[in-house]
Amino acid sequence: MTVEPQSFLLTLEKRVGLTEQDKVLLKANADWGLKVSPAMADHFYSYLERDPEMKAILHTGEQRIHRLHETFVQWFHEMFTGMDDWGTVYAERRWKIGLVHVRINIGPQHVVPAMATVIHEIGKQLEVDGKDQALKDALSRICMIDLAFIEQAYVEVSSAAVLRETGWTEGLFRRLIATGAKSM
């Protein structure tokens, strides 16, 4: 069940319809993305801090929230630059980001609505700055790819832990999951 990040990225690009034109558009707006990224980080963390569970996770150390803001700014800008044209480096970084979310217990139930907040706020900023709808669409697609990496990290880590602890085969595990889902 182990994800190969580059292959996963290519699959996701096809699934969400991220095109070469989207990538060109994102790169052409990388400076703008960097400029608005601190405000997007503010929206993201403001949303998360309204939840007591998330607030406790975000504030477990003097400088944690500051570091998280810096990391968000970098992550946001990387969506525009693609780092290595959305290649292996980009894919591996997204996979590591997903694993970090698992490790510090920021679950999909928190990340998904927080990402929706970012997409909503970036849409408003795009309108204020007179940017094209095509850029919003490209950003929405790349955000969904990044979100899928985070969600897949939860699936992979959970599955690997169950297989390791139980000694089950992957096939048995998948059958049990499918049977369990049918009974709900």
Side-chain angles (χ1 to χ4, degrees):
M1 287 185 159
T2 303
V3 163
E4 194 288 303
Q6 179 61 31
S7 177
F8 189 59
L9 175 61
L10 293 173
T11 298
L12 292 171
E13 284 182 10
K14 289 177 190 162
R15 286 183 181 155
V16 304
L18 186 73
T19 66
E20 290 305 313
Q21 293 85 0
D22 290 331
K23 293 175 181 180
V24 167
L25 187 57
L26 289 166
K27 280 186 174 185
N29 286 278
D31 289 342
W32 178 83
L34 184 58
K35 182 182 101 178
V36 300
S37 61
M40 294 304 113
D42 290 344
H43 291 298
F44 184 79
Y45 289 111
S46 175
Y47 172 83
L48 288 175
E49 287 181 338
R50 291 194 299 258
D51 181 276
E53 181 182 350
M54 280 307 308
K55 190 170 187 167
I57 291 170
L58 295 172
H59 292 280
T60 57
E62 280 183 44
Q63 294 296 317
R64 184 173 212 178
I65 195 69
H66 177 72
R67 284 191 317 273
L68 289 170
H69 267 263
E70 289 177 349
T71 300
F72 182 98
V73 167
Q74 181 181 4
W75 163 79
F76 193 81
H77 187 238
E78 288 169 357
M79 287 193 299
F80 285 87
T81 67
M83 298 172 70
D84 63 342
D85 291 322
W86 294 272
T88 303
V89 173
Y90 187 88
E92 288 176 359
R93 175 140 164 80
R94 273 25 195 187
W95 183 243
K96 288 177 186 171
I97 288 170
L99 294 174
V100 167
H101 280 79
V102 175
R103 189 173 60 244
I104 63 175
N105 203 28
I106 300 177
Q109 74 274 19
H110 298 295
V111 175
V112 172
M115 186 71 83
T117 299
V118 170
I119 291 169
H120 176 75
E121 293 299 331
I122 199 65
K124 291 184 342 190
Q125 190 64 53
L126 285 160
E127 191 173 315
V128 166
D129 293 345
K131 297 288 185 178
D132 191 80
Q133 177 68 31
L135 181 55
K136 181 181 182 187
D137 294 343
L139 275 168
S140 293
R141 285 189 275 279
I142 197 67
C143 281
M144 291 305 101
I145 288 171
D146 282 23
L147 183 58
F149 268 97
I150 293 169
E151 290 191 358
Q152 192 64 35
Y154 270 92
V155 170
E156 296 295 322
V157 169
S158 300
S159 300
V162 168
L163 294 176
R164 193 171 39 257
E165 289 295 317
T166 64
W168 294 345
T169 65
E170 187 176 325
L172 173 61
F173 181 66
R174 287 179 187 258
R175 282 193 308 278
L176 291 171
I177 297 286
T179 301
K182 288 177 189 173
S183 70
M184 295 184 111

